[in-house]
Amino acid sequence: MKKENHTLVSEFTFQGFSSFCEHQFTLFIMFSALYMLTLAGNIITVAIISLDHHLHTPMYFFLSVLSASETVYTVIIIPKMLCNLIGQSQSISLAGCATQMFFFITLAINNCFLLTAMGYDRYVAICHPLRYTVIMNRRVCLQLVWGACSIGLIVAMTQVTSVFRFSMPRPNFTAVAEFTFEGFSIFGWQPRLILFVVFLVLYLLTLTGNAIILTVICHNHQLHTPMYFFLSVLSISETCYTLAIIPQMLSSLLSPQHAISIPDCATQLFFYLTFGVNNCFLLTAMGYDRYVAICNPLRYSVIMGKKTCIQLAGGSWSIGLSTATIQVSSVFSLPFCDASIISHFFCDIRPLMKLACADITIKELMTLLISLCVLVLPMVLIFISYVLIVCTILKMASAEGRKKAFATCASHLTVVIVHYGCTSFIYLKPKSQNSLQDRLISVTYTVITPLLNPVVYSLRNKDVKDALLRALGRKSVS
């Protein structure tokens, strides 16, 4: 267990323009005047665009958003700079500094991409004037703005986390430089070797199954449908998900008390959360796809177009990235001072927060709220989809039609029940002192569920079996 002695500062002091002592008042007057002009100009711009209906166009929409963003951007920096110039407190707390940096980066990057969106707007207006209103519709404008804001938020969270990872003040403490996995060290060498062989075989089967699914879907044009598009994306996500966890776990089984550095632990947690949350929302998108296919079959190809599928998949990835960034930022802003043994076989949120030498009440509440959003919300949406699906199926006159409709949902429903059942038990239950039980349950959704997806979708799906048999040169399943 590596430890390092640290004495952390609790605040910073700005040097600012202290070298221009004689001219600080002049600079104060000049910067104050420019600041007032900036605020007045942006407020006038936003007010005019809001009140004049002739200016309710994409160009001026982007301009109003840019003006609002620029206003907040200056509010974050200039007032503090002016206070420093007139000799008031030139210090800033760590929390205040991190907050200022977060909003500065968020809004600065947001402005960069807003200017890019405005450039694209001018390109469409000049190069495609007849299609301008179609291309630059309200939905596209909102997507461009939200995209700019999301990029700014993600970059800011990443940067602030990187800079202020050990920023919580605690004088003269010994910071932990690495963690050690407890894993399955409670078992003897022989049981660990058996677990190693079992998990390795399951892992190889998972990789093989996902590779086969992807190959079959890519090479068979009959499977180029929304349902199999989502299945292929899920297979890629599940493969990356297992790569983030299982190799480390297998290594820990052979060498107990396996150590991992804090940056590596943060990286593992980031990818685990990204792909884990992504899988939840991909399963939700697949549930929506089944709802449309059964409840609105005549409009299926219109509703589930290529653009919609890409947006749903992209939205799942975006939610996964955002959640991972927020959670990793939250966990690794905590100080780790004494304990360094993680009661788990990979870096997970709750085992890590238990090691923090600080009050984690707010962090735990935030983790619970995020868990509710990324677990309960998709479950509710899937539940609603299947209620509507079942109602539609029961109204079918043909028994054969009902059987076929149920068959198309069986694979997805099986995976959903196992996936959400295990993850909900871990992340939505109260605190548990039985860490071994939690580890064994975690094996279900880190090792077994990723294998379950390709197995279920291969063995229970006639289209996939037919495509696989054709690829092997055999006859289709009758």
Side-chain angles (χ1 to χ4, degrees), residues 235-303:
S235 294
I236 294 171
S237 182
E238 288 282 14
T239 301
C240 297
Y241 176 79
T242 56
L243 282 171
I245 299 170
I246 299 181
Q248 179 79 49
M249 181 185 70
L250 294 173
S251 177
S252 298
L253 283 168
L254 294 180
S255 57
Q257 304 297 314
H258 189 76
I260 184 172
S261 66
I262 288 183
D264 289 344
C265 187
T267 303
Q268 185 184 56
L269 179 62
F270 177 81
F271 285 111
Y272 160 69
L273 291 173
T274 298
F275 295 117
V277 174
N278 176 52
N279 293 345
C280 291
F281 283 91
L282 279 175
L283 289 171
T284 307
M286 294 172 77
Y288 176 68
D289 170 74
R290 292 300 82 206
Y291 157 73
V292 176
I294 294 173
C295 300
N296 296 285
L298 299 179
R299 299 183 60 216
Y300 179 71
S301 58
V302 177
I303 297 174

Side-chain angles (χ1 to χ4, degrees), residues 27 37 67 169 180 197 218 288 301 305 340 347 385 390 428 459:
L27 290 173
L37 288 172
S67 296
T180 302
V197 173
C218 288
Y288 176 68
S301 58
S340 65
C347 291
S385 297
V390 170
L428 299 181
L459 297 181

Side-chain angles (χ1 to χ4, degrees), residues 9-21:
V9 298
S10 59
E11 62 180 27
F12 297 121
T13 302
F14 291 112
Q15 184 178 12
F17 298 97
S18 57
S19 56
F20 300 99
C21 296

Side-chain angles (χ1 to χ4, degrees), residues 109-110 113 141-154:
I109 292 177
N110 177 52
F113 282 93
C141 292
L142 289 173
Q143 286 176 339
L144 289 171
V145 169
W146 282 113
C149 292
S150 299
I151 294 170
L153 283 169
I154 291 170

